[in-house]
Amino acid sequence: MRYGRFDDRLREYVITTPQTPLPWINYLGCEAYFGIISNTAGGYSFYRDARMRRLTRYRYNNAPFDLGGRYLYIRDNESSKFWSPSWQPTRTKLDRYECRHGMGYTTIGSTCNKIEAETCYFVPLGETLEIWRFRVTNRRKKPAKLSVFSSIEFCLWDAQDDATNFQRNFSTGQVEIEDGVIFHKTEYRERRNHFAYFACSGKLAGFDTQRDTFLGAYRSWDSPAAVERGRSFNSVACGWAPHGSHHVKVSLKPGETKEVVFVLGYHENPVDRKFDPPGSQTINKKTVRPVIARYLDSRNVAAAFQALKEYWDGVLGIYQAQSPDPHADRMVNIWNAYQCMATFNMSRSASFYESGIGRGLGFRDSNQDLLGFVHMVPARARERILDLAATQLKTGGAFHQYQPLTKRGNNDVGSGFNDDPHWLIIGVAAYIKETGDWGILDEPVQYENEPGSEQPLYDHLRRSFNYTMERIGPHGLPLIGRADWNDCLNLNCFSDTPGESFQTTTNKDGKVAESVFIAGLFVLAARELAAIAGNRGMAGEARRCVAEAEKMEKVIYEHGWDGQWFVRAYDDFGKPIGSKVCKEGKIFIESQGMSIMAGIGLQDGKARQALESVNKHLATPHGIVLQQPAFSRYYVHMGEISSYPPGYKENAGIFCHNNPWIIIAETMVGNGDRAFDYYTRINPSAREKIGDLHRCEPYVFAQMIAGKDAPTHGEAKNSWLTGTAAWTYYTATQWILGIRPDYDGLLVDPCIPKAWDGFTVQRTFRGTRYQITVQNPRHVSKGVREILVDGRKLSAQILPVFKDGKTHDVTVVMGK
Ligand code: GLC
Ligand code: GLC
């Protein structure tokens, strides 16, 4: 069953029933102020950091799903009936419902009792606030007398503390109400210099700021006492749960529409000017008043919305494609690119599956995410790289995570994930290929966030490389440490204590367990580093990288090849994992994908053989599972991977993140049909028709789809914030369509289904627009016969960097 449809022209997904299998969400904000919003107006907002600067509360894992949100109530003052125009939280039957999730905004429209309502939620560019533009129309033949109530629940800033530390928090909440604006100022009296505000363009009939007064004791958001009786209590919060609710009366003639704007925002004052008058305890509102006034004016709201649309036109316009496949097109042109921007902004912090109080930004995650967004926001990608590199340790290892608000490495999680440093090389390489900005390598960057420890970024890459050289195990393969890309393959953990973190507990000294995956990644990264060093005139260093890569390749052939596929790892006893000699977990996806991406086995047929094994043992109609056979019980020497029931997550789930590695590998061996087939299996748009099984949003990729061993094979989980976003985007644009930035230009090397007649791509690259038409008259998958640039034949497969800011026409003819 479908729960909606794509509107590609408007770049929206239109949800046509509020009862989706799970809340289907969207993101508001793209700079510093963010929110998640579901199709029934659930979700929450925060400034920069979902844990440390949370503006509104949310009730996780609740029944019913998705409680806490940006709620409005409409009350008919003649009949006393009231309902939520977003369906939740009253869940009153609506005569019409439509939620449009778009680029950075969500509009929820509905009709009930012949009253039509439409609320558009968005964050204006450059601001730290969100707007709810509410429009209400009377479709009755007689006048309507309505009341509109708003409702949000303030979070007391640190979302973790807010949800646990009640002995304190029930006594700290404070608000101010001035000119109809509700100011939330908990802890402003002491060390905070920020506050939240909630304003409304309508004339207030009343307000509430104490949650339990607004709701009434033992009531929930489906029947607030204030709404039921049709009148606010004008409550002033002191302790307990500060809340924001406005009451506005709206009278409408038949056919008449009125607009009310609500503004929820975050504001900081200079520390020495927090209060007005100085010495008082009253918030200084001089700096925030003009901001509020601006956005309570409908004309400015309309202009801000238009500017947001134009921003996305620009960002998405950098890469546009038209292929014979509508699912691929809408992912590449709209949703997958948009999802990459969400992973840029959120990393893995705030979604329906990530509570926002857990993880900060991951070192490995963010470096990989770069592959998906570097072309859209190169300047911000540069900043991200430098932030990440500053959390690198002097050893070359890295803090596994850092908190975006402080940009400091997270000591609780620490380091020791031995793949981490190489992702920095991959990220920097992608950045330079996109921008040609070699100067980034000279940027001084701290180690361990320590002032005075600055070294050029290039030195960081060198230490990344050396990190592995200094951590080689008994077979000559890299030691795995706490884990490699697979956070759940914990070969040094040996935990038998419930609740112990598999990632941060290390009970073995870690001098034996090795990773073939890191070996492959090392070869890939070493070749990139060689190219970078060569380009910078460091021929000796380049040679060393190449030599070490070759040496590692030999080790992989010797100890990492199992006969029909690549071994995954060696455990603490020196026994192979992911080998035919194993009873469970005989073959893993990661080492196949990564080894082949590093070029291993391309010459002698081993790559093809490994891919055949993947196809035989791991591929399912819903994607490629992580390993087989699934682990049927907990193995103390393998850790978290065997903690999941078979078919879920890393225990033989379809971990979509690494499916693209196999797809890239298939394009490298020229198998365009299979590459595209694998891509389509996990493409959410192509899965829209099985919405009842898939259950997650059909417009974004999910981290995981239940594998064949699970009772719910095909069910997706953990949508939005996953490395899948960047990897699928990178795969589709650079390896299937094959328009791939390289150090010296734009490489054209498609690998497509044979049936395709061709496709077109418009790409802005280093300031030049390339209009590329690819023709496939002989129906091949791979191979370029001829390239014409502005009518002139090109001898190489690389489109030159023109540096002229003009548009160039490129015709590519495929064939042998
Ligand atoms: C999660 C983590 C990522 C890891 C993957 C596999 O997606 O964010 O860092 O590589 O799981 O365990
Ligand atoms: C859990 C998840 C894994 C994730 C890790 C790190 O182990 O299964 O996917 O990468 O947590 O937070």
Side-chain angles (χ1 to χ4, degrees):
M1 177 179 162
R2 288 172 205 260
Y3 296 86
R5 60 173 194 281
F6 287 93
D7 185 334
D8 293 336
R9 197 182 54 82
L10 291 176
R11 296 196 292 241
E12 291 175 339
Y13 190 81
V14 190
I15 301 169
T16 48
T17 163
Q19 300 191 62
T20 44
L22 293 163
W24 284 1
I25 69 163
N26 190 17
Y27 287 90
L28 307 177
C30 46
E31 293 157 330
Y33 182 102
F34 299 103
I36 74 173
I37 182 164
S38 73
N39 57 309
T40 58
Y44 55 88
S45 301
F46 57 94
Y47 171 74
R48 284 197 196 279
D49 190 312
R51 169 170 169 187
M52 296 166 82
R53 287 285 190 283
R54 186 79 67 96
L55 267 83
T56 56
R57 271 195 189 141
Y58 190 68
R59 289 193 165 59
Y60 313 96
N61 192 13
N62 205 19
F65 276 147
D66 188 27
L67 208 64
R70 301 170 182 84
Y71 295 141
L72 293 171
Y73 301 85
I74 300 176
R75 183 178 188 276
D76 186 334
N77 289 334
E78 275 155 5
S79 67
S80 307
K81 278 191 199 160
F82 64 90
W83 66 94
S84 310
S86 57
W87 191 63
Q88 283 255 60
T90 66
R91 295 188 299 283
T92 313
K93 191 179 172 314
L94 301 169
D95 299 320
R96 183 187 65 94
Y97 161 92
E98 190 178 86
C99 167
R100 290 179 168 260
H101 283 320
M103 304 288 109
Y105 65 92
T106 287
T107 305
I108 302 176
S110 64
T111 310
C112 189
N113 302 318
K114 295 208 158 67
I115 299 296
E116 199 176 287
E118 187 192 86
T119 316
C120 176
Y121 301 90
F122 73 100
V123 175
L125 294 170
E127 303 288 2
T128 58
L129 57 88
E130 67 185 64
I131 287 174
W132 314 357
R133 187 189 60 197
F134 173 72
R135 284 183 181 149
V136 55
T137 306
N138 178 12
R139 295 286 172 217
R140 298 174 184 168
K141 297 211 165 61
K142 49 178 190 135
K145 285 199 167 48
L146 309 173
S147 276
V148 176
F149 292 86
S150 62
S151 166
I152 52 151
E153 194 185 4
F154 289 110
C155 179
L156 310 187
W157 303 116
D158 180 333
Q160 165 91 30
D161 188 75
D162 181 71
T164 47
N165 191 8
F166 310 117
Q167 63 79 22
R168 170 179 162 84
N169 297 340
F170 283 167
S171 297
T172 55
Q174 287 194 300
V175 296
E176 281 178 33
I177 301 115
E178 192 183 295
D179 296 337
V181 182
I182 296 165
F183 293 88
H184 172 230
K185 62 166 194 176
T186 301
E187 293 188 350
Y188 190 76
R189 55 182 286 117
E190 29 125 345
R191 291 156 297 177
R192 295 188 188 274
N193 64 328
H194 45 264
F195 56 88
Y197 56 90
F198 191 32
C200 165
S201 66
K203 183 170 164 288
L204 292 204
F207 63 86
D208 273 298
T209 66
Q210 185 75 291
R211 182 193 68 199
D212 296 344
T213 310
F214 174 73
L215 294 179
Y218 296 100
R219 283 165 175 254
S220 184
W221 277 269
D222 57 3
S223 58
V227 181
E228 197 178 275
R229 73 169 195 165
R231 204 152 36 85
S232 298
F233 295 92
N234 296 346
S235 57
V236 179
C238 196
W240 297 107
H243 187 261
S245 174
H246 310 98
H247 174 201
V248 178
K249 290 191 175 161
V250 182
S251 299
L252 294 169
K253 293 182 214 115
E256 194 187 5
T257 301
K258 278 192 181 155
E259 181 170 301
V260 184
V261 179
F262 297 88
V263 179
L264 170 63
Y266 169 92
H267 195 78
E268 282 174 11
N269 268 337
V271 180
D272 55 350
R273 272 178 287 152
K274 276 171 62 170
F275 301 107
D276 182 29
S280 76
Q281 288 290 299
T282 313
I283 300 176
N284 171 6
K285 305 188 183 75
K286 289 199 179 98
T287 50
V288 76
R289 266 189 214 116
V291 184
I292 298 177
R294 187 176 325 137
Y295 290 105
L296 291 182
D297 181 333
S298 287
R299 282 164 308 182
N300 295 332
V301 170
F305 188 66
Q306 187 54 31
L308 185 68
K309 288 223 155 206
E310 283 161 18
Y311 167 80
W312 282 105
D313 284 344
V315 165
L316 299 179
I318 293 168
Y319 194 122
Q320 289 287 298
Q322 298 76 38
S323 82
D325 187 83
H327 302 298
D329 284 5
R330 70 167 64 104
M331 281 300 132
V332 165
N333 297 336
I334 308 168
W335 289 100
N336 196 182
Y338 181 63
Q339 185 181 2
C340 287
M341 289 298 290
T343 60
F344 165 58
N345 287 316
M346 302 288 132
S347 186
R348 307 294 173 268
S349 68
S351 75
F352 189 65
Y353 306 87
E354 304 277 8
S355 65
I357 55 184
R359 295 195 256 179
L361 264 72
F363 191 88
R364 110 162 46 95
D365 292 340
S366 298
N367 274 301
Q368 290 175 76
D369 291 347
L370 242 132
L371 297 174
F373 65 73
V374 61
H375 65 297
M376 295 188 274
V377 283
R380 299 175 75 192
R382 188 181 209 272
E383 185 189 338
R384 177 64 54 83
I385 288 174
L386 299 177
D387 287 346
L388 283 164
T391 67
Q392 188 173 28
L393 306 177
K394 291 173 193 137
T395 58
F399 275 116
H400 196 50
Q401 290 169 11
Y402 78 92
Q403 218 47 46
L405 193 70
T406 60
K407 296 191 172 183
R408 294 186 70 83
N410 182 344
N411 265 321
D412 300 339
V413 183
S415 65
F417 298 78
N418 285 353
D419 63 318
D420 272 343
H422 297 298
W423 295 113
L424 182 66
I425 302 179
I426 304 288
V428 171
Y431 171 78
I432 298 175
K433 288 175 183 176
E434 178 65 37
T435 59
D437 172 17
W438 291 91
I440 193 174
L441 296 169
D442 301 323
E443 283 289 335
V445 186
Q446 294 175 355
Y447 282 101
E448 308 179 19
N449 305 114
E450 209 180 273
S453 64
E454 288 81 359
Q455 289 293 325
L457 179 64
Y458 182 80
D459 186 68
H460 287 251
L461 306 188
R462 187 189 280 142
R463 287 197 204 185
S464 292
F465 173 84
N466 289 341
Y467 180 83
T468 289
M469 300 305 314
E470 289 157 12
R471 283 166 186 77
I472 295 288
H475 294 93
L477 292 161
L479 293 172
I480 197 166
R482 284 176 162 173
D484 59 20
W485 171 86
N486 192 330
D487 267 332
C488 300
L489 190 60
N490 315 117
L491 305 182
N492 294 303
C493 178
F494 287 84
S495 174
D496 51 17
T497 306
E500 230 170 38
S501 159
F502 288 104
Q503 273 81 43
T504 58
T505 307
T506 326
N507 292 318
K508 290 278 172 154
D509 64 3
K511 297 279 162 31
V512 179
E514 302 166 296
S515 163
V516 177
F517 171 82
I518 300 182
L521 178 61
F522 171 81
V523 173
L524 186 69
R527 299 221 155 104
E528 291 292 5
L529 192 57
I532 291 173
N535 197 292
R536 303 234 92 201
M538 293 182 284
E541 198 141 319
R543 273 198 301 278
R544 175 170 169 247
C545 292
V546 172
E548 292 298 346
E550 278 169 4
K551 204 164 118 198
M552 189 62 79
E553 206 173 320
K554 286 210 187 79
V555 177
I556 295 178
Y557 277 128
E558 198 174 332
H559 298 292
W561 179 251
D562 197 54
Q564 284 172 306
W565 56 78
F566 293 97
V567 177
R568 177 63 177 81
Y570 284 90
D571 66 18
D572 185 56
F573 310 102
K575 296 233 169 63
I577 288 180
S579 153
K580 57 179 179 291
V581 305
C582 306
K583 256 178 64 199
E584 297 183 332
K586 285 174 188 292
I587 170 170
F588 280 67
I589 191 171
E590 302 102 305
S591 44
Q592 320 311 320
M594 189 47 75
S595 303
I596 300 170
M597 285 200 293
I600 300 163
L602 288 175
Q603 310 300 334
D604 62 1
K606 286 198 171 63
R608 271 181 192 274
Q609 206 178 346
L611 290 170
E612 287 316 308
S613 300
V614 168
N615 188 254
K616 186 165 158 206
H617 301 289
L618 302 180
T620 81
H622 297 291
I624 308 167
V625 299
L626 196 143
Q627 98 278 9
Q628 279 292 296
F631 297 115
S632 59
R633 61 183 186 85
Y634 177 56
Y635 294 103
V636 71
H637 68 290
M638 285 200 247
E640 184 166 0
I641 191 165
S642 58
S643 74
Y644 288 108
Y648 292 113
K649 295 276 283 180
E650 284 89 339
N651 187 12
I654 296 156
F655 214 86
C656 298
H657 182 144
N658 52 31
N659 278 223
W661 301 347
I662 297 299
I663 302 171
I664 293 174
E666 290 286 1
T667 66
M668 291 175 83
V669 302
N671 204 344
D673 283 311
R674 200 189 263 169
F676 196 75
D677 179 16
Y678 283 161
Y679 171 73
T680 304
R681 292 184 202 193
I682 60 167
N683 183 331
S685 164
R687 297 174 65 78
E688 187 193 20
K689 56 181 185 294
I690 51 165
D692 282 325
L693 176 62
H694 185 78
R695 301 187 79 226
C696 276
E697 296 92 333
Y699 42 89
V700 288
F701 286 88
Q703 179 208 57
M704 203 267 302
I705 298 175
K708 56 188 174 183
D709 303 288
T712 57
H713 182 34
E715 179 189 23
K717 283 194 191 117
N718 300 13
S719 53
W720 280 101
L721 303 184
T722 157
T724 315
W727 277 104
T728 48
Y729 184 81
Y730 169 73
T731 300
T733 55
Q734 300 199 26
W735 293 89
I736 294 175
L737 301 179
I739 311 299
R740 187 153 74 243
D742 211 330
Y743 296 108
D744 303 320
L746 198 55
L747 183 70
V748 182
D749 189 21
C751 184
I752 57 175
K754 289 196 200 72
W756 284 16
D757 293 325
F759 62 91
T760 53
V761 166
Q762 302 82 47
R763 173 69 151 101
T764 302
F765 176 68
R766 301 196 202 169
T768 303
R769 190 81 172 159
Y770 298 77
Q771 309 254 33
I772 306 170
T773 305
V774 177
Q775 300 163 354
N776 188 20
R778 299 178 190 210
H779 290 279
V780 298
S781 275
K782 199 175 167 110
V784 166
R785 265 168 75 85
E786 188 176 74
I787 299 185
L788 299 173
V789 179
D790 299 322
R792 268 199 287 183
K793 217 167 151 168
L794 194 75
S795 54
Q797 238 171 295
I798 293 220
L799 307 178
V801 180
F802 289 102
K803 291 192 184 136
D804 59 4
K806 292 198 181 130
T807 297
H808 296 274
D809 283 314
V810 180
T811 306
V812 179
V813 184
M814 293 180 69
K816 291 272 146 54

